[in-house]
Amino acid sequence: MDTIYALASARGKAGVAVLRLSGPRSHEAVQAFGVPLPSLRHAALRRLTWNGEVLDEALVLLFGAGASFTGETSAELHLHGSPAAVSSVLRVLSGLPGLRAAEAGEFTRRALENGRLDLAQVEGLADLIDAETEAQRRQAMRVFSGAIGERAERWRADLIRAAALLEATIDFADEDVPVDVTPEVLTLIDGLLADLRREVDGSRIAERIRDGFEVAIVGAPNAGKSTLLNALARREAAITSEIAGTTRDVIEVRMDLDGLPVTFLDTAGLRDTSDLVESLGIERAVTRAKAADLRVFLLDDSGPLSGITVQADDLVVQGKADLRPGQGLRLSGRTGEGVPELVAAIGERLLGRTAGAGSLTRERHRLAIERAIGAMESVRAELLRGQQHTELAADDLRRAIRSLDSLVGRVDVESLLGEIFASFCIGK
Ligand SMILES: Nc1nc2c(c(=O)[nH]1)N(C=O)[C@@H](CNc1ccc(C(=O)N[C@@H](CCC(=O)O)C(=O)O)cc1)CN2
Ligand SMILES: Nc1nc2c(ncn2[C@@H]2O[C@H](COP(=O)(O)OP(=O)(O)OP(=O)(O)O)[C@@H](O)[C@H]2O)c(=O)[nH]1
Ligand SMILES: [K+]
Ligand SMILES: [Mg+2]
């Protein structure tokens, strides 16, 4: 096993830089800097020297095999966050035998291989590092803490129980089976199907929290859409002008809106036009606005918009409120009045949707559950068709279990059989 090393903190100037090593030679590598090793898990200040020169004064932290993030013998060097100090230490490490620079994600991969994390936790950790808003952090933390594995384990136990019941029926097929297990299996399957369908429903919103919600600003040319976008972004993200048809491409601005990740889309003003480029822009505007999670219709004095209709949760606001009196949701991108109210209204609508967010944050999770649901629906149909289909049903149950196992990266048929036989106790 190679010993790997990498800068664990971000590149560039910083107060402190953390260099991480993992693998059998990581303690030896620290010793190469001519320092006495501190005891495990006790940080100690050491002068790292090479060829008689002090490279940096660092905190050294050692972890023993089986008691580290990766599960391997590992070490950390907490250097000054100086690009030059970091490179000088990296240069030495690159010349030591048995050491090499780590590949992306390799420490976590080792943690997975050593059983410190399951596959879903690894995904949760990746999302935690990518999290930019509170909702994303909370959701990622739940997955990282093992929520998916715990659930999968419960569902799995039910499926194993159902499988054991069916296996018993198969083995006793020639004899008189004392009890018909079908009702009990059906009850297990139906309860589980309801759970899994709820998870799938919650996964769509969880995926939105992970990737962000899209909110499109739509309206007639010159309604003030780009001015509003700039007010929301607090910077000149889009060109504005008194010329109708200024915006052509969709302009995206990502924001943290009450803890939710939101991408605002500024779009071309909608109207009939003979300008080819403008009409291409309008096509894009309509497509993106329709696909968005929410639309803000910014009204001016012009008539109704063509090509797009207001949907249930959409917001309709009167623009240029500084120029004319009115009622209802009103705002001025120019003065900023009404903009916080719009933000609050958007936040309220999106927050309302996040209530049902589940733990399945990725398409991969949803597809695994959908495969399990499909397999369980087959089980159901086969059982209802009668005893002669029990073997088929048992096969489909195993297929459902494998799909759940793929959630956490455990696809091990041996253990499945082991558990089936462990719960198998009708005198055999
Ligand atoms: N300096 C530093 N900070 C860090 C990390 C790190 O690797 N180094 N982490 C890296 O991502 C996170 C903390 N995660 C860690 C996870 C496990 C162990 C660890 O040593 N686990 C042992 C002992 C557990 C214990 O003492 O309770 C184990 O699980 O056996 C350390 C850090 C965030 N902060
Ligand atoms: N008084 C006032 N003028 C505004 C307001 N918002 C925008 N304007 C002006 O209206 C004109 C059009 O603004 P834009 O933001 O470019 O409008 P748009 O909807 O993006 O226009 P297109 O991209 O061409 O569809 C500019 O001259 C802005 O300065 C507002 O709230 N109040
Ligand atoms: K304009
Ligand atoms: Mg514009």
Side-chain angles (χ1 to χ4, degrees), residues 33-356:
F33 293 96
V35 299
L37 293 182
S39 52
L40 297 180
R41 309 181 73 83
H42 286 264
L45 187 61
R46 296 284 187 264
R47 286 219 162 103
L48 306 184
T49 59
W50 188 250
N51 289 336
E53 187 192 2
V54 177
L55 301 181
D56 193 11
E57 194 171 61
L59 275 181
V60 173
L61 183 54
L62 305 179
F63 299 88
S68 68
F69 170 72
T70 57
E72 300 177 326
T73 303
S74 52
E76 291 183 7
L77 300 174
H78 298 200
L79 308 173
H80 288 101
S82 140
V86 170
S87 339
S88 73
V89 173
L90 284 175
R91 197 166 331 119
V92 172
L93 291 178
S94 71
L96 297 179
L99 261 68
R100 65 168 171 81
E103 287 162 26
E106 202 173 359
F107 291 93
T108 305
R109 171 189 278 250
R110 290 187 174 190
L112 173 73
E113 282 165 359
N114 291 324
R116 325 282 310 178
L117 301 172
D118 68 36
L119 192 59
Q121 286 180 294
V122 167
E123 292 168 320
L125 179 53
D127 289 348
L128 179 64
I129 286 168
D130 286 338
E132 289 178 344
T133 75
E134 267 301 286
Q136 289 177 319
R137 183 191 60 73
R138 248 180 239 128
Q139 176 165 288
M141 205 59 214
R142 197 164 61 230
V143 177
F144 175 55
S145 306
I148 292 183
E150 279 163 28
R151 262 166 232 211
E153 202 51 54
R154 281 207 308 274
W155 299 328
R156 193 175 199 277
D158 279 357
L159 286 178
I160 299 278
R161 165 131 188 79
L165 288 166
L166 285 187
E167 298 286 341
T169 318
I170 293 167
D171 281 8
F172 286 79
D174 303 338
E175 309 161 26
D176 273 344
V177 178
V179 282
D180 180 9
V181 299
T182 307
E184 195 177 345
V185 173
L186 279 178
T187 306
L188 275 170
I189 299 278
D190 285 345
L192 206 46
L193 271 173
D195 270 10
L196 295 186
R197 291 197 178 110
R198 205 168 28 246
E199 285 292 332
V200 168
D201 289 343
S203 73
R204 305 207 179 264
I205 261 324
E207 283 174 52
R208 307 312 304 141
I209 291 177
R210 180 166 173 269
D211 301 332
F213 292 90
E214 282 190 353
V215 177
I217 306 171
V218 291
N222 272 353
K225 301 179 294 300
S226 302
T227 305
L228 171 59
L229 180 80
N230 293 346
L232 288 164
R234 296 170 198 278
R235 64 186 170 90
E236 298 298 302
I239 296 173
T240 65
S241 85
E242 65 289 343
I243 300 164
T246 299
T247 304
R248 288 0 189 9
D249 289 313
V250 175
I251 295 168
E252 306 190 6
V253 170
R254 211 171 156 81
M255 280 182 48
D256 178 340
L257 202 147
D258 295 343
L260 296 176
V262 172
T263 301
F264 279 100
L265 308 178
D266 177 27
T267 60
L270 306 180
R271 66 168 166 182
D272 287 328
T273 173
S274 54
D275 183 311
L276 176 66
V277 180
E278 187 183 356
S279 72
L280 289 175
I282 290 171
E283 228 171 83
R284 285 189 185 192
V286 170
T287 307
R288 294 293 300 276
K290 279 183 177 165
D293 297 288
L294 193 71
R295 284 143 293 278
V296 174
F297 285 81
L298 188 58
L299 299 187
D300 58 2
D301 298 327
S302 63
L305 294 173
S306 60
I308 187 153
T309 47
V310 180
Q311 297 177 32
D313 246 7
D314 287 349
L315 287 156
V316 180
V317 293
Q318 183 66 54
K320 301 191 184 176
D322 52 316
L323 293 185
R324 50 192 169 227
Q327 287 152 7
L329 256 184
R330 308 167 63 250
L331 62 82
S332 164
R334 179 169 286 179
T335 67
E337 85 170 274
V339 175
E341 287 79 1
L342 173 68
V343 168
I346 294 169
E348 191 189 318
R349 277 165 166 73
L350 295 181
L351 215 57
R353 296 187 198 178
T354 61

Side-chain angles (χ1 to χ4, degrees), residues 376-395:
M376 285 163 59
E377 280 167 346
S378 305
V379 173
R380 222 179 162 278
E382 282 141 10
L383 289 179
L384 292 174
R385 266 158 56 208
Q387 290 269 313
Q388 67 276 25
H389 300 288
T390 312
E391 299 221 22
L392 261 182
D395 277 352

